[in-house]
């Protein structure tokens, strides 16, 4: 999960604070000290995560694009200059642009805003921006919520009393709410000093940047691993009294399945799984990567001195084209698989399924899956020509039917035009005409779209009057009959308005012409 650090470089950040042993110490220095602490933690525990630095005042500037080089980030932070007034709205729009250009709108991202709580004055201030949120057009829309999944953490180089004396705290809380409520505001406790800022950033690290250690098990084989980003608790809305489900620290592999059978399942989130290198004394010495790049060479050499099941698993899944089903907790499963970012780099990834016994309907109940060797005959066939999946349900699901959906006006227009085209080719297209007409009729009844039935009847009556003299007499009868049936269906109390009822062709007795005539 990449991180964008949004650093306030306005003049208000240069306000002095009283720190023992320093005559000229500013809020900016406290912010730099706190971010240095964060960068050092990420350089040690989050080596494979990408971080970017954006500075802002009345304008915003991308100081460091997304990188894993925390020395570059620290150098840019130390050389940050002071600018003019604060304009947070433009900076948030800048963050949106930077993330979308690099990662698109699907990748979740964490945004760490570091400011002193002085959010500008007049036009361009946060107060003015929030007051005009609902009066804007689409071209000047407020940048929150971000167009990508995100968490917004606001680090205030000020204490809560100072923010509450103004409306700064209310405005910042409104920012969190506008972004969907994911995130938190951190303030300094007590006097503004190095100890307070360390405590504040320590709380951020504990919540958002603490590594997730787990043990990956498969039979008698085990491996200590770290999971990035840290899996979030999941709440099932269907439960009467929902309790958050957490991924356990014991990840048990329960079986393996071919990639073709797992297909592209819906997942809650995706995570990077890395083995932990441990020395002879049992002390953690680093995180071994599972890729073929030259990054973390020294760590890889240390990790390579002892066998590691996680590395073996990654290589096996990559070569065999399979995934490992892993149990995350009671009645909760996920899958481990190899994902290639480039020709030379691949990672061991873990995707979390929805909690439940049947997260993937085509596999059936997870607890009933077993080794292929236990079956009476090979379910994949002697030459792998067949597969036992997908498992066919006992009852045909409603979503397996052909369902008519009109999201845009063009979809409805297309269906109406299809009926009219077949109407002009009666009686040759009698069966197709009534098939499309009944499809539209059922959709209109399902949506309560009674006006559509009346309008369609009027269109068919109009088509009847426009028939040329050379038209077959059966065409006029069928059009009049269909229009009459639609009018009857548009009456809610009519027996012809039943959803199961179908409009059938009118029985006529004409010689010659239509081969579809009844």
């Amino acid at each position: 999960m990449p991180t964008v650090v949004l650093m306030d470089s306005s003049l208000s950040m240069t306000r002095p604070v009283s720190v023992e042993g320093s005559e000229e110490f500013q809020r900016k220095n406290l912010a730099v000290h706190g971010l240095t602490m964060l960068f050092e933690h990420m350089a040690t525990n989050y080596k494979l995560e990408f971080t970017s630095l954006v500075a802002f005042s009345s304008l915003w500037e991308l100081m460091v694009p997304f990188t894993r080089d925390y020395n570059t980030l620290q150098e840019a932070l130390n050389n940050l200059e002071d600018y003019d007034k604060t304009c947070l709205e433009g900076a948030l729009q800048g963050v949106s642009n930077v993330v979308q250009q690099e990662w698109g709108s699907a990748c979740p991202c964490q945004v760490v805003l570091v400011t002193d709580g002085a959010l500008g004055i007049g036009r361009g201030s946060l107060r003015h921006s929030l007051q005009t949120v609902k009066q804007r057009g689409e071209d000047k829309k407020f940048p929150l919520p971000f167009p990508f999944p995100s968490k917004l953490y606001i680090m205030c180089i000020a204490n809560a009393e100072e923010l509450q004396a103004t409306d700064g705290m209310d405005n910042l809380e409104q920012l969190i709410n506008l972004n969907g409520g994911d995130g938190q505001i951190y303030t300094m406790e007590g006097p503004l000093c190095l100890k307070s800022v360390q405590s504040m950033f320590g709380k951020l690290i504990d919540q958002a940047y603490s590594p997730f250690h787990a043990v990956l098990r498969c039979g008698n084989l085990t491996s200590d691993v770290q999971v990035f980003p840290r899996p979030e608790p999941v709440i099932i809305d269907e439960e009467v009294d929902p309790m958050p489900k957490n991924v356990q620290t014991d990840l048990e592999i329960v079986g393996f399945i071919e990639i073709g059978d797992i297909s592209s399942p819906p997942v809650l989130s995706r995570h990077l799984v890395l083995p932990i290198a441990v020395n002879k004394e049992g002390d953690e010495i680093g995180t071994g990567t599972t890729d073929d790049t030259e990054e973390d060479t020294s760590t890889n050499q240390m990790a390579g001195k002892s066998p590691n099941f996680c590395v073996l698993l990654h290589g096996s899944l990559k070569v065999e084209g399979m995934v490992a089903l892993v149990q995350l907790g009671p009645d909760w499963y996920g899958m481990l698989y190899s994902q290639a970012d480039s020709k030379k780099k691949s990672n061991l990834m873990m995707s979390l399924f929805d909690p439940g016994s049947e997260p993937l309907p085509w596999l059936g109940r997870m607890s009933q899956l077993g080794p292929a060797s236990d079956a009476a005959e090979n379910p994949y066939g002697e030459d792998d020509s067949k597969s036992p999946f997908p498992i066919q349900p006992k009852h045909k699901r409603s979503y397996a039917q052909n369902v008519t959906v009109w999201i845009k006006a063009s979809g409805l227009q297309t269906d109406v035009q299809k009926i009219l085209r077949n109407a002009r080719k009666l009686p040759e297209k009698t069966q197709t005409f009534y098939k499309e007409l009944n499809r539209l009729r059922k959709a209109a009844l399902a949506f309560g779209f009674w006006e559509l039935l009346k309008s369609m009847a009027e269109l068919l009556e109009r088509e009847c009057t426009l028939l040329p003299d050379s038209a077959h007499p059966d065409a006029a009868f069928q059009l009049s009959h269909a229009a009459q049936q639609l009018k009857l269906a548009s009456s809610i109390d009519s027996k012809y308005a039943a959803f199961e009822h179908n409009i059938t062709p009118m029985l006529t007795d004409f010689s010659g012409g239509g081969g579809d005539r009844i």
Side-chain angles (χ1 to χ4, degrees):
M1 186 183 294
T3 296
V4 178
V5 174
L6 186 58
M7 176 67 177
D8 188 349
S9 59
S10 62
L11 287 175
S12 62
M13 289 288 287
T14 64
R15 287 181 291 169
V17 293
S18 57
V19 177
E20 294 182 2
S22 176
E23 297 181 359
E24 297 181 0
F25 210 76
Q26 304 171 348
R27 297 184 185 228
K28 173 184 174 182
N29 302 124
L30 293 177
V32 170
H33 182 78
L35 286 175
T36 299
M37 176 181 171
L38 176 63
F39 288 161
E40 290 176 350
H41 172 81
M42 295 178 71
T44 303
N45 299 280
Y46 282 75
K47 293 182 179 181
L48 299 182
E49 294 285 11
F50 288 90
T51 305
S52 176
L53 177 63
V54 176
F56 76 97
S57 56
S58 60
L59 302 175
W60 65 274
E61 180 182 0
L62 178 60
M63 305 299 294
V64 182
F66 284 101
T67 181
R68 292 171 173 169
D69 186 355
Y70 288 95
N71 291 329
T72 302
L73 288 164
Q74 187 63 53
E75 183 179 353
L77 187 64
N78 292 334
N79 296 329
L80 194 63
E81 297 182 6
D82 303 323
Y83 295 96
D84 51 1
K85 65 176 186 178
T86 302
C87 181
L88 189 53
E89 179 178 349
L92 294 173
Q93 185 61 56
V95 169
S96 179
N97 295 341
V98 169
V99 173
Q100 289 187 91
Q101 288 175 5
E102 184 73 23
W103 305 101
S105 57
C107 179
C109 184
Q110 298 193 129
V111 180
V112 179
L113 168 61
V114 183
T115 182
D116 61 344
L119 303 176
I121 56 174
R123 184 176 294 274
S125 66
L126 181 60
R127 183 184 299 104
H128 178 267
S129 296
L130 295 177
Q131 289 173 349
T132 59
V133 165
K134 297 182 179 180
Q135 288 81 37
R136 304 184 182 203
E138 287 295 326
D139 56 333
K140 295 183 179 179
K141 191 176 178 182
F142 192 73
L144 294 183
F146 288 121
F148 48 86
S150 64
K151 291 187 177 182
L152 177 60
Y153 298 104
I154 302 177
M155 315 302 294
C156 294
I157 310 301
N159 52 43
E161 292 77 11
E162 182 181 349
L163 293 174
Q164 290 170 355
T166 62
D167 57 354
M169 181 64 78
D170 294 336
N171 288 334
L172 294 176
E173 289 177 349
Q174 195 170 346
L175 280 183
I176 301 290
N177 294 332
L178 284 174
N179 199 45
D182 285 337
Q184 189 172 336
I185 300 173
Y186 294 88
T187 59
M188 299 178 64
E189 298 179 359
L192 304 187
C193 60
L194 294 177
K195 184 178 180 180
S196 297
V197 79
Q198 288 174 356
S199 175
M200 180 176 68
F201 273 86
K203 293 177 181 177
L204 171 67
I205 289 171
D206 290 340
Q207 177 173 345
Y209 294 98
S210 58
F212 183 84
H213 293 267
V215 178
L216 183 62
R217 303 181 185 276
C218 182
N220 294 324
L221 299 175
T222 62
S223 177
D224 294 322
V225 297
Q226 278 186 289
V227 180
F228 299 92
R230 187 181 185 88
E232 296 289 335
V234 176
I235 297 178
I236 304 176
D237 296 333
E238 290 79 6
E239 294 182 353
V240 177
D241 188 14
M243 294 290 292
K245 285 181 171 287
N246 294 283
V247 175
Q248 293 182 347
T249 54
D250 275 346
L251 306 176
E252 182 76 26
I253 294 178
V254 296
F256 300 88
I257 193 168
E258 293 185 2
I259 289 180
D261 291 332
I262 204 73
S263 188
S264 298
V267 297
L268 290 173
S269 57
R270 296 169 60 250
H271 305 266
L272 179 66
V273 181
L274 293 176
I276 300 175
V278 180
N279 61 17
K280 294 181 179 180
E281 288 73 25
D283 300 324
E284 183 181 333
I285 57 176
T287 302
T289 62
T290 58
D291 57 39
D292 301 323
T293 61
E294 296 181 358
E295 294 183 74
D296 302 327
T297 303
S298 59
T299 304
N300 279 327
Q301 290 174 350
M302 290 186 291
K305 290 182 179 180
S306 60
N308 194 299
F309 165 64
C310 190
V311 177
L312 172 65
L313 174 68
H314 171 255
S316 303
L317 296 177
K318 182 178 180 181
V319 172
E320 297 296 331
M322 302 187 76
V323 301
L325 295 178
V326 57
Q327 187 160 12
L328 310 173
D331 217 16
W332 192 10
Y333 299 88
M335 66 177 181
L336 294 167
Y337 56 97
S338 174
Q339 183 188 50
D341 291 342
S342 63
K343 292 183 179 180
K344 293 185 177 181
K345 178 183 176 184
S346 61
N347 301 309
L348 183 62
M349 304 295 296
M350 180 173 70
S351 292
L352 311 186
F353 300 150
D354 287 316
S357 58
E358 294 186 64
L360 311 179
W362 61 90
L363 294 184
R365 190 176 293 273
M366 286 288 185
S367 59
Q368 294 180 354
L369 294 176
S373 58
D374 288 354
E377 61 178 17
N378 187 357
Y380 288 92
E382 296 298 330
D383 56 353
D384 296 337
S385 58
K386 65 177 183 177
S387 171
F389 306 107
I391 295 177
Q392 298 299 323
K394 296 180 180 179
H395 304 287
K396 196 171 184 180
R397 306 293 186 185
S398 60
Y399 53 76
Q401 310 285 343
N402 291 327
V403 179
T404 302
V405 179
W406 295 315
I407 297 177
K408 297 182 180 179
S410 58
L412 174 59
Q413 183 180 4
T414 299
D415 287 343
V416 172
Q417 288 175 341
K418 188 185 298 183
I419 294 174
L420 295 179
R421 283 198 303 270
N422 288 307
R424 292 161 191 161
K425 296 178 181 179
L426 291 173
E428 288 80 7
K429 295 290 185 179
T430 299
Q431 298 301 329
T432 306
F433 168 75
Y434 279 99
K435 177 184 176 182
E436 295 297 331
L437 187 68
N438 280 309
R439 188 168 70 89
L440 180 135
R441 173 188 174 279
K442 286 191 173 184
L445 290 174
F447 299 145
F449 199 173
W450 315 107
E451 296 82 358
L452 175 61
L453 298 176
K454 296 178 182 178
S455 300
M456 194 69 232
E458 294 174 358
L459 284 175
L460 294 180
E461 290 177 341
R462 179 176 178 273
E463 286 295 322
C464 187
T465 62
L466 296 177
L467 288 172
D469 295 336
S470 59
H472 194 283
D474 199 19
F477 282 102
Q478 298 295 347
L479 288 174
S480 299
H481 169 67
Q484 181 64 23
Q485 291 291 311
L486 288 177
K487 287 183 178 179
L488 292 173
S490 66
S491 176
I492 302 177
D493 299 329
S494 172
K495 65 178 183 179
Y496 297 97
F499 183 80
E500 297 79 8
H501 179 74
N502 280 322
I503 302 175
T504 57
M506 183 180 184
L507 296 177
T508 61
D509 187 17
F510 290 99
S511 58
D516 291 336
R517 188 179 300 108
I518 296 177

